[in-house]
Amino acid sequence: MHLKHFIVLLGMAATTSMLCISNIKAQGGSEQYLQLIEQHTRNILQKVDLLPNYLANASELVLAWITPMTPDNSPPLKTMQAPFTQLGDLLLQSQAKQAEMLATMNSDLLNNDGKNVFNANNGHPNSTGIASPSTLWYANDLVYSSVLGTPFFAKDPRVQPGAPSSNINLPYNYIKNAAGLNLYHKIPDPSWKASDARTRYQSYFNTVMAAESFNGYILSHQAAEGNQLNTLQTTLVTQATDPQNWFAQVASENIGFVLRQILLYQSQTFVLLTQLIQLQKQMVTAQAMTNSLLIAANQVNENLMVSSAQGVQPTL
């Protein structure tokens, strides 16, 4: 195959030479003609001498794509491996420490006897045993760890074999509390007397209900996801920072395999970037709704200012 390519290239070079010679012959004398032929021939021979190098380089490139390579022990690769591995270990350690701290914070939250702030100021431990299955049997509905699969009570006190309450959805209950869906808002009655107060409450009711609905939508993602994403991320981080089963393998695999692995990671990066864009949009929406709630909550002060400007007694 290489010989065939060489013959083709040599033939093309000869054809080009003949064309150039014909043009030169028609233009000048024999001495100039011979000099140009000699120079042109030397140029062709120099190019031909480089063909083996070109073929060797091309062969080396092809073999690099389809056959295993000699392990890459270059200083830059060795320098990068240690920080990458340490970063992965740090992420995993942070997740484990966060889960441990969450359990401690849940205990401080639910066992607060009013002295927690002073205990913190003075370096004293907080009280324990206040939140018990008999005093706070719904504690699992109040802590975020229930969404992650680690509720405050490992065995929910409400779950009794054969009881109607045995099918308690802890993440869903937490989401309702966190989103404000359990806050009671009296539905405006059309029979209420028309007044400014009725108008203000109707506006307040509509804004609050719309905001709480959005809260439920946002937090429902947490309930649906649970701790699955954290588990998958931990697995990928562990793989991508393993100095033996990842860095050493990539450094010795052929380029074709490495390219496929890069494309796999790139596809996952695209998925995560898409989720990040959605999250940013939701954050902006949440900020807008927060502004709406602040405006709605300020209606009392607004009513006072209007009444003061009119010089009349304010009414709620």
Side-chain angles (χ1 to χ4, degrees):
M1 181 64 71
H2 295 326
L3 180 60
K4 183 184 293 185
H5 289 168
F6 176 75
I7 293 174
V8 171
L9 290 174
L10 190 60
M12 292 177 62
T15 303
T16 303
S17 301
M18 294 299 296
L19 292 176
C20 295
I21 290 172
S22 300
N23 292 335
I24 295 173
K25 185 176 181 180
Q27 294 176 0
S30 59
E31 183 177 353
Q32 182 181 7
Y33 170 70
L34 293 175
Q35 291 177 351
L36 290 176
I37 290 179
E38 182 180 358
Q39 179 64 36
H40 192 63
T41 302
R42 282 198 299 267
N43 292 339
I44 294 176
L45 291 176
Q46 290 176 357
K47 298 297 183 182
V48 171
D49 289 339
L50 294 176
L51 282 178
N53 293 334
Y54 292 150
L55 293 175
N57 292 336
S59 176
E60 183 177 353
L61 177 62
V62 172
L63 291 176
W65 281 85
I66 63 176
T67 60
M69 301 171 56
T70 302
D72 184 0
N73 294 319
S74 60
L77 184 64
K78 292 181 179 179
T79 302
M80 288 187 294
Q81 285 186 17
F84 285 164
T85 302
Q86 293 171 3
L87 178 60
D89 293 341
L90 179 61
L91 291 174
L92 299 180
Q93 292 170 7
S94 298
Q95 289 182 354
K97 188 173 182 179
Q98 186 179 23
E100 181 181 350
M101 291 180 63
L102 184 59
T104 303
M105 288 188 291
N106 286 343
S107 178
D108 290 341
L109 171 68
L110 300 180
N111 290 298
N112 191 345
D113 58 356
K115 300 179 181 179
N116 281 14
V117 62
F118 301 108
N119 292 333
N121 290 343
N122 300 318
H124 297 160
N126 292 324
S127 302
T128 58
I130 298 176
S132 65
S134 59
T135 60
L136 199 62
W137 57 92
Y138 50 91
N140 289 341
D141 298 344
L142 309 178
V143 293
Y144 179 73
S145 60
S146 292
V147 178
L148 302 178
T150 54
F152 183 74
F153 294 129
K155 183 178 180 181
D156 197 287
R158 297 164 294 184
V159 178
Q160 300 295 334
S165 60
S166 59
N167 295 324
I168 296 175
N169 190 335
L170 297 182
Y172 181 72
N173 288 350
Y174 171 82
I175 295 305
K176 288 197 298 182
N177 287 326
L181 302 184
N182 286 335
L183 294 175
Y184 173 69
H185 306 288
K186 187 174 182 61
I187 299 177
D189 193 332
S191 64
W192 290 352
K193 181 181 178 179
S195 63
D196 290 343
R198 174 186 170 183
T199 302
R200 282 194 297 271
Y201 181 73
Q202 182 72 65
S203 301
Y204 171 81
F205 177 83
N206 291 354
T207 300
V208 168
M209 296 298 285
E212 289 181 5
S213 175
F214 179 74
N215 289 345
Y217 166 73
I218 294 298
L219 295 178
S220 66
H221 177 73
Q222 297 290 325
E225 181 181 280
N227 200 34
Q228 298 180 42
L229 182 59
N230 290 339
T231 302
L232 295 174
Q233 287 177 329
T234 299
T235 302
L236 290 176
V237 169
T238 302
Q239 175 191 354
T241 56
D242 190 322
Q244 298 299 326
N245 298 323
W246 178 249
F247 290 127
Q249 184 177 0
V250 169
S252 60
E253 284 183 336
N254 65 66
I255 302 300
F257 288 169
V258 175
L259 178 60
R260 293 188 185 97
Q261 293 164 353
I262 292 175
L263 292 177
L264 288 175
Y265 272 94
Q266 283 294 101
S267 65
Q268 294 306 307
T269 301
F270 172 75
V271 172
L272 294 177
L273 287 177
T274 302
Q275 291 180 331
L276 182 60
I277 292 174
Q278 293 175 342
L279 176 62
Q280 291 175 335
K281 291 179 179 178
Q282 292 170 357
M283 291 174 61
V284 173
T285 304
Q287 290 175 349
M289 290 198 174
T290 299
N291 294 337
S292 299
L293 290 175
L294 291 174
I295 295 171
N298 195 50
Q299 287 186 104
V300 175
N301 293 329
E302 183 179 343
N303 181 42
L304 291 174
M305 288 188 293
V306 171
S307 301
S308 178
Q310 294 176 340
V312 299
Q313 187 69 23
T315 57
L316 297 178

